[in-house]
Amino acid sequence: QVQLQQWGAGLLKPSETLSLTCAVYGGSLSGYYWSWIRQPPGKGLEWIGEINQRGSTNYNPSLKSRVTISVDTSKNQVSLKLISVTAAETAVYYCARGRGRQSGAAFDIWGQGTLVTSSS
Amino acid sequence: DIQMTQSPSSLSASVGDRVTITCRASQSITTFLNWYQQRPGKAPRLLIYAASSLQSGVPSRFSGSGSGTHFTLTISSLQPEDSATYSCQQSDSSPRTFGQGTKLEIK
């Protein structure tokens, strides 16, 4: 059974860099896209971007200039970096496995979520 | 970006009721539409993918339909554990976008 375990700093000051890692247990990175998705308190979900095993990325244009998603195949991990965070980017950040288009390209497995608070 | 609009934003229903939630896309997404359930403090859970396919392990009282720009999620007989927020998501094009969510309360 595939599980995603994520971790990273939960408290940042505005202008600092958000850094999170997601480890994939019980399965391979191959054949899927691995996404980061966030959810501000009491609000809806926002897709940040995705990466595949080969390192091919796709970012939300609204964040593209500040976000980097990377993959470490030796550790079965994907990582998120978001520079220059603002207080408005306080949110729960999730990693999620994305299936291929033949399976609806849905997010079928999610990490537990990490609350990242940006406050001075 | 494709905008996803859900209605209603919240609803209250009784155990055993049939409940329908609607999701509209700002342009055609064929059947690249997925539904998620999210309980408070938990990660979303995939219920329906490709508009009408039931994800493994999801009870059969959940069903989805639609294509193009209009989609529905139906719960045929509401159970107490169905109290949650339900969100639709389009996977036809990038950036992936979600509806704002529908909060379902059990009376």
Side-chain angles (χ1 to χ4, degrees), chain A residues 35 37 39 43-47 50 58-61 94 99-108 110-113, chain B residues 1 32-34 36 38 41-46 48-50 55 87 89 91-100:
Chain A
S35 281
I37 296 161
Q39 185 172 39
K43 296 188 177 180
L45 297 154
E46 179 184 28
W47 180 78
E50 64 186 3
N58 183 23
Y59 298 129
N60 191 323
Y94 295 99
R99 302 197 300 217
R101 285 183 72 85
Q102 70 281 6
S103 300
F107 302 119
D108 63 347
W110 294 65
Q112 80 276 19
Chain B
D1 299 4
F32 284 97
L33 189 283
N34 311 304
Y36 301 87
Q38 189 176 23
K42 299 296 186 182
R45 170 197 182 197
L46 177 64
I48 302 288
Y49 65 95
Q55 171 69 357
S87 298
Q89 175 246 331
S91 52
D92 180 61
S93 65
S94 186
R96 312 295 192 217
T97 47
F98 292 83
Q100 80 279 15

Side-chain angles (χ1 to χ4, degrees), chain A residues 83-96:
Chain A
I83 67 171
S84 304
V85 297
T86 68
E89 294 180 295
T90 291
V92 176
Y93 287 74
Y94 295 99
C95 59

